[in-house]
Amino acid sequence: SGGGCPVLLTEPQRSNVLSYSEDFSNASWNTSRIETPYISGVVSPDGTLNAYTLEMSSGETNGGGVFKTGISISGDNSFSVFAKKKTSKYLALGDANLIVNGVWFDLENGTVGTAYNATGEIEDFGNGWYRCTMKYTLTSTNAKFIYQSNIDGTTSGGVVGGDSIYIYGAMLEAGSYPTSY
């Protein structure tokens, strides 16, 4: 047979509450800063050309992102996305006000940056891709944000028109740690 040892999956079964989690061009996401996939020719962690580019428009000067509203989840949760640096150094994950609930991830060095009322975890997936996870206890919100920045701890300033990162596979699940995507 395969010659390997059998493996037992020991993580809990959970649901991703983010619909269209790989399709950032879907109308359920705010798509104003999403460039069409395949333009970049960047292979996502699943091995196909389906990564999206989160890009600032010409003339913009504050951190740009995408967000999804209408989310209903409470208690401990894990919010994650795969990200790869293009020109912007940081990815930020959080709620509507990231300095209340948010975490910055350094995509250049593979480290967790500033965190507000949350903890961060970054996992190297090779080829410049990281799975960035924000873990916290949700009190109330209905939106999740994915931002880019060049300054740790802020989305104001630090990026200009044309700055961008690659993103793939967002996931939001109930639980104090992330499960497999």
Side-chain angles (χ1 to χ4, degrees):
S1 59
C5 295
V7 176
L8 180 63
L9 181 62
T10 59
E11 65 183 19
Q13 183 177 359
R14 296 194 188 143
S15 296
N16 184 358
V17 300
L18 298 177
S19 57
Y20 302 99
S21 61
E22 294 176 9
D23 185 2
F24 294 102
S25 66
N26 183 277
S28 69
W29 289 92
N30 166 298
T31 60
S32 63
R33 291 189 177 99
I34 290 293
E35 297 297 323
T36 305
Y38 317 121
I39 289 175
S40 64
V42 172
V43 175
S44 77
D46 78 356
T48 60
L49 289 172
N50 62 352
Y52 280 79
T53 303
L54 176 58
E55 184 171 85
M56 296 295 293
S57 298
S58 180
E60 289 186 298
T61 58
N62 59 1
V66 295
F67 63 91
K68 189 180 248 321
T69 60
I71 296 168
S72 178
I73 192 169
S74 61
D76 289 343
N77 69 84
S78 299
F79 176 33
S80 64
V81 69
F82 292 90
K84 180 177 181 172
K85 180 184 184 229
K86 185 175 179 188
T87 59
S88 292
K89 183 176 180 177
Y90 289 95
L91 165 83
L93 297 177
D95 293 340
N97 186 347
L98 277 88
I99 61 169
V100 173
N101 293 315
V103 179
W104 277 252
F105 301 89
D106 182 335
L107 300 176
E108 190 172 274
N109 298 304
T111 57
V112 176
T114 300
Y116 296 103
N117 298 314
T119 58
E121 178 179 283
I122 190 165
E123 182 180 359
D124 190 340
F125 268 72
N127 198 27
W129 283 100
Y130 294 97
R131 185 178 187 193
C132 303
T133 304
M134 172 184 165
K135 300 181 282 186
Y136 70 118
T137 301
L138 185 62
T139 53
S140 66
T141 188
N142 72 349
K144 292 293 179 214
F145 285 77
I146 302 168
Y147 270 90
Q148 64 174 315
S149 181
N150 279 317
I151 302 171
D152 185 22
T154 184
T155 57
S156 299
V159 290
V160 296
D163 278 349
S164 57
I165 59 174
Y166 301 113
I167 57 175
Y168 167 81
M171 188 167 181
L172 176 63
E173 57 187 313
S176 59
Y177 59 91
T179 57
S180 299
Y181 181 73

